[in-house]
Amino acid sequence: MLSEADIGAIWLTFRLATTVTILLLILGTPLALWLAKTRSIIKGPVSALVALPLVLPPTVLGFYLLVFMGPSGPMGKFTEALGLGTLPFTFWGLVFASLLYSLPFVVQPIQNAIEAQGERHAEVAATLRASPWDTFWHVTLPLAKPGILTAAVLGFAHTVGEFGVVLMIGGNIPGETRVVSVQIYDHVEALEYTQAHWLSAAMIGFSFAVLLLLYLLQHRKSSRGLRYGI
Amino acid sequence: MEYKPTSGHGIQGHFYLPRSGGHAPFALDVQLDIPGRGVTGIFGPSGCGKTTLLRCIAGLQPCENGSLAVNGETWQSSGNKRNSLPVHRRPLGFVFQQPSLFPHLSAGENLEFARKRARQKVSDDEYREITELMGITRLLSQQPEALSGGEQQRVAIARALLIKPRLLLMDEPLASLDQMRKREILPYLEKLHRSLEIPILYVSHSVEEVARLADHLLLMDEGKIVNEGPATALLSRADFPVQLGDDLGVLLEAQIAQQDSQWSLLSASFDGGSLWLRDTGEQVGDSIRVRVLARDISLTREEDMQSSILNRLPVQVEEICPDRDPAMMLIRLKPQSASAAASDANVSRLIARITRRSVHQLSLEIGTTLWAQIKSVAIVR
């Protein structure tokens, strides 16, 4: 059935997706809040940048990241100066790339959930003597919970499913960058169709379960006027 | 009931908010001097700027060119941004037009949200008192969506009170409710009025509500205050600055003088005579406020003893004004049966709204004496 290498790939994928989801929730929530509330003229350009990975071929993103993080790219020089070496072909390189690649899937549901709340609840909280910080923690975030759950599920699933970016900047290093999608690719290249079947079937099962969970979550909360289509 | 604001008491300030974009058709430009006690009704047609004024007072609407002092405490001073308290530092309670309980908290948790952040500690007794006053003790475990609009609004009012505000602002709290819910909630607002020490600003476009609740009245039109004064006096003017049409009428302070149990009627005396009312359980000696609509008064030259109308008062025409409707005229009448004790200026006037043709047929002019037949009298409080 599953070889040791397959299990290693699954474990690596899980670690990558979990790390990326947690980081994205921490970084994406303030960004989503800002996008939902701001009237700044740079809202448009920032929204477009965040959404860019939705339309770009992963190879384009991967290519520029490779240059950016490589020894002569600005980020590469910076990480080398810190004594960390360069990021391409490392786990953390994959984490960084996935953060950018999955960003819209986390920011947009949270932004929608906050925008759907309108100004009212925040105004009510202010008249009840809640400071803006207090309001954020006790009103805005709890009310955005369905959106945050959606964001977490989508961010996780999308990171699990990425292939092109990984291939561009991660290569194929067992235990470091060889995630499930790359492992399947390798099996097929080596004509190991049975192995490829097992892993692919597991991915189908996983993806179906995730989407089902998402729709159940949304169905339960839809009475509050929050819907997020994929 | 007349309140005279003195320095250090009441609400003083001014707001100037230029019209912005397509939203406001006019600038808000008001100078405030409001009594520090009782209910002040802010009344005017939809879109006259009353809600904007209330939002400026709360600080929800930033207004750079504005100042505000509430009972001697400066909340905002002109041209100095640093001296403007943010909303959450102003000791006020705000009741919004739409019931606005936090949907992720139960009714009780909504109250706790306020209690935790109150200006001073709320004792268990005070908490119980407020929830009983609003009649919501049995609703506290419910989620907001399980409550009716009226119940939600009562919880929202209790929540605003639990903050222990120094000023309560209510923005058309009944506007989103149907007639039945309005009737259900009005008695709670009256109780509130009687039991609260703090001033209440009550925005409304309903004459019925302000006639019932307000002691003092600010009339607004196109962003400006067009008149202000005690509610009874202001609502009884024929040249009422805001056109009311069918809602025009006078407000009379009266006292129950006798009870007629045979016919289930009450006789109420006011400073221009006495009126028969249906017996709705008031006691002799009770002070009431009654409203007589201008369209419910008809005029006859002779006293019509054969009429089914009980209330007939001898009156004298004091003023004849044109109505907005070209077919109608407004007649201000001075009751003649006034007791000798009431001086001329103190006698409550009545206003009749009749057709221009009737004015011509009866050849009415100033000084004509007539009988006013009053078809219905409503106790508003």
Side-chain angles (χ1 to χ4, degrees):
Chain A
M1 242 167 62
L2 293 177
S3 66
E4 209 168 299
D6 291 341
I7 301 206
I10 291 175
W11 172 238
L12 176 69
T13 308
F14 178 78
R15 261 202 314 154
L16 176 68
T18 310
T19 313
V20 168
T21 307
I22 292 171
L23 287 176
L24 273 181
L25 286 179
I26 295 171
L27 301 172
T29 307
L31 180 58
L33 182 72
W34 180 80
L35 282 172
K37 301 274 178 187
T38 187
R39 292 197 190 107
S40 161
I41 47 162
I42 62 164
K43 176 180 174 171
V46 172
S47 303
L49 273 180
V50 169
L52 214 48
L54 288 174
V55 292
L56 276 184
T59 42
V60 172
L61 189 67
F63 169 64
Y64 280 115
L65 279 173
L66 191 63
V67 174
F68 182 66
M69 298 192 295
S72 46
M75 184 154 173
K77 283 183 180 153
F78 177 70
T79 49
E80 283 201 316
L82 289 177
L84 300 170
T86 51
L87 288 175
F89 309 107
T90 65
F91 177 75
W92 288 101
L94 278 195
V95 169
F96 182 75
S98 304
L99 282 179
L100 289 181
Y101 189 49
S102 297
L103 188 65
F105 294 86
V106 172
V107 168
Q108 288 184 356
I110 301 178
Q111 184 186 345
N112 287 349
I114 294 174
E115 280 173 351
Q117 288 175 24
E119 286 296 307
R120 172 82 58 76
H121 295 299
E123 286 192 346
V124 171
T127 67
L128 295 172
R129 300 170 57 79
S131 66
W133 186 245
D134 187 1
T135 302
F136 174 72
W137 284 107
H138 294 105
V139 179
T140 311
L141 269 195
L143 283 174
K145 208 167 80 185
I148 294 172
L149 277 176
T150 304
V153 172
L154 282 178
F156 189 90
H158 194 249
T159 307
V160 167
E162 85 179 63
F163 174 70
V165 176
V166 180
L167 219 56
M168 290 297 285
I169 64 151
N172 197 350
I173 305 164
E176 182 80 17
T177 62
R178 189 191 281 167
V179 295
V180 174
S181 54
V182 177
Q183 180 77 356
I184 294 171
Y185 181 73
D186 282 355
H187 281 315
V188 175
E189 288 284 277
L191 298 175
E192 296 163 351
Y193 277 29
T194 323
Q195 298 287 339
H197 265 312
W198 278 114
L199 270 184
S200 298
M203 285 294 269
I204 290 176
F206 167 78
S207 305
F208 180 78
V210 163
L211 291 179
L212 186 65
L213 174 71
L214 202 60
Y215 284 119
L216 289 178
L217 275 177
Q218 285 185 351
H219 185 68
R220 199 159 57 89
K221 296 295 179 189
S222 62
S223 61
R224 292 201 182 141
L226 179 87
R227 274 176 198 277
Y228 181 74
I230 308 171
Chain B
M1 268 178 281
E2 198 161 343
Y3 296 99
K4 290 226 168 68
T6 54
S7 62
H9 272 286
I11 302 154
Q12 285 93 24
H14 84 276
F15 290 102
Y16 178 77
L17 201 63
R19 62 194 209 159
S20 57
H23 284 337
F26 40 75
L28 177 76
D29 185 4
V30 295
Q31 197 78 39
L32 292 177
D33 195 350
I34 298 173
R37 275 215 58 184
V39 176
T40 298
I42 301 176
F43 179 79
S46 297
C48 70
K50 14 184 226 309
T51 294
T52 309
L53 171 61
L54 208 65
R55 290 175 59 85
C56 283
I57 294 174
L60 290 169
Q61 168 75 53
C63 179
E64 274 177 45
N65 194 348
S67 65
L68 184 66
V70 176
N71 286 337
E73 213 176 276
T74 303
W75 287 12
Q76 188 172 343
S77 54
S78 206
N80 192 342
K81 259 192 163 173
R82 267 197 224 141
N83 275 1
S84 176
L85 290 179
V87 184
H88 68 276
R89 308 247 325 265
R90 299 188 182 200
L92 57 85
F94 201 107
V95 179
F96 291 80
Q97 183 171 346
Q98 305 289 331
S100 43
L101 300 180
F102 295 128
H104 63 297
L105 301 176
S106 70
E109 286 166 341
N110 265 282
L111 297 185
E112 279 306 319
F113 188 98
R115 193 180 179 181
K116 258 188 232 157
R117 292 164 177 80
R119 219 160 44 81
Q120 298 150 2
K121 202 179 169 322
V122 179
S123 71
D124 288 348
D125 281 345
E126 287 170 308
Y127 183 83
R128 204 172 318 120
E129 205 176 294
I130 288 173
T131 51
E132 275 167 16
L133 181 72
M134 286 294 124
I136 53 170
T137 34
R138 281 179 300 120
L139 308 176
L140 297 182
S141 60
Q142 307 261 23
Q143 288 296 313
E145 64 220 30
L147 302 176
S148 75
E151 288 166 341
Q152 287 188 38
Q153 203 56 299
R154 268 148 56 197
V155 176
I157 295 169
R159 187 178 63 175
L161 293 177
L162 281 171
I163 216 79
K164 291 210 169 172
R166 293 226 177 104
L167 171 64
L168 184 60
L169 305 171
M170 304 182 97
D171 182 15
E172 308 214 29
L174 304 185
S176 64
L177 307 176
D178 58 38
Q179 272 303 325
M180 280 229 329
R181 301 285 171 213
K182 271 184 203 172
R183 274 195 214 115
E184 163 201 313
I185 208 168
L186 267 166
Y188 292 103
L189 292 180
E190 283 176 353
K191 272 204 271 178
L192 195 67
H193 176 210
R194 285 195 295 270
S195 60
L196 272 195
E197 292 286 309
I198 57 167
I200 301 177
L201 298 190
Y202 189 100
V203 163
S204 179
H205 69 268
S206 147
V207 201
E208 192 196 335
E209 284 168 36
V210 292
R212 214 168 142 163
L213 296 170
D215 303 307
H216 191 85
L217 212 51
L218 291 187
L219 300 179
M220 285 188 70
D221 203 14
E222 305 206 324
K224 295 190 173 52
I225 293 175
V226 287
N227 214 327
E228 59 187 304
T232 41
L234 217 52
L235 278 177
S236 305
R237 290 175 53 159
D239 58 344
F240 197 73
V242 180
Q243 287 288 352
L244 293 174
D246 277 354
D247 277 333
L248 182 73
V250 297
L251 207 53
L252 306 171
E253 302 280 4
Q255 249 190 348
I256 307 290
Q258 80 183 77
Q259 194 180 15
D260 183 339
S261 48
Q262 187 189 354
W263 303 110
S264 297
L265 291 172
L266 293 172
S267 163
S269 62
F270 70 106
D271 53 15
S274 70
L275 295 166
W276 289 106
L277 308 166
R278 275 186 297 167
D279 190 345
T280 45
E282 280 78 7
Q283 302 297 315
V284 171
D286 281 358
S287 287
I288 55 167
R289 192 181 260 198
V290 298
R291 191 160 153 71
V292 180
L293 290 176
R295 59 163 187 212
D296 287 338
I297 299 183
S298 58
L299 301 172
T300 55
R301 276 285 191 175
E302 307 287 331
E303 183 175 14
D304 186 356
M305 306 294 281
Q306 305 297 315
S307 166
S308 67
I309 291 172
L310 274 183
N311 286 312
R312 294 185 295 271
L313 296 173
V315 292
Q316 187 175 30
V317 176
E318 204 170 46
E319 197 182 346
I320 302 176
C321 307
D323 189 69
R324 181 178 41 171
D325 185 332
M328 307 302 285
M329 299 288 274
L330 298 173
I331 318 291
R332 190 165 62 165
L333 306 161
K334 193 176 104 184
Q336 296 290 290
S337 58
S339 60
S343 74
D344 199 59
N346 279 342
V347 175
S348 295
R349 279 12 182 214
L350 296 172
I351 298 169
R353 186 164 185 252
I354 58 174
T355 60
R356 201 151 53 86
R357 183 170 153 182
S358 309
V359 174
H360 179 74
Q361 274 181 349
L362 292 171
S363 51
L364 296 187
E365 21 185 272
I366 290 166
T368 312
T369 52
L370 294 157
W371 286 87
Q373 294 190 326
I374 302 168
K375 213 166 96 187
S376 86
V377 181
I379 300 185
V380 292
R381 164 161 124 196

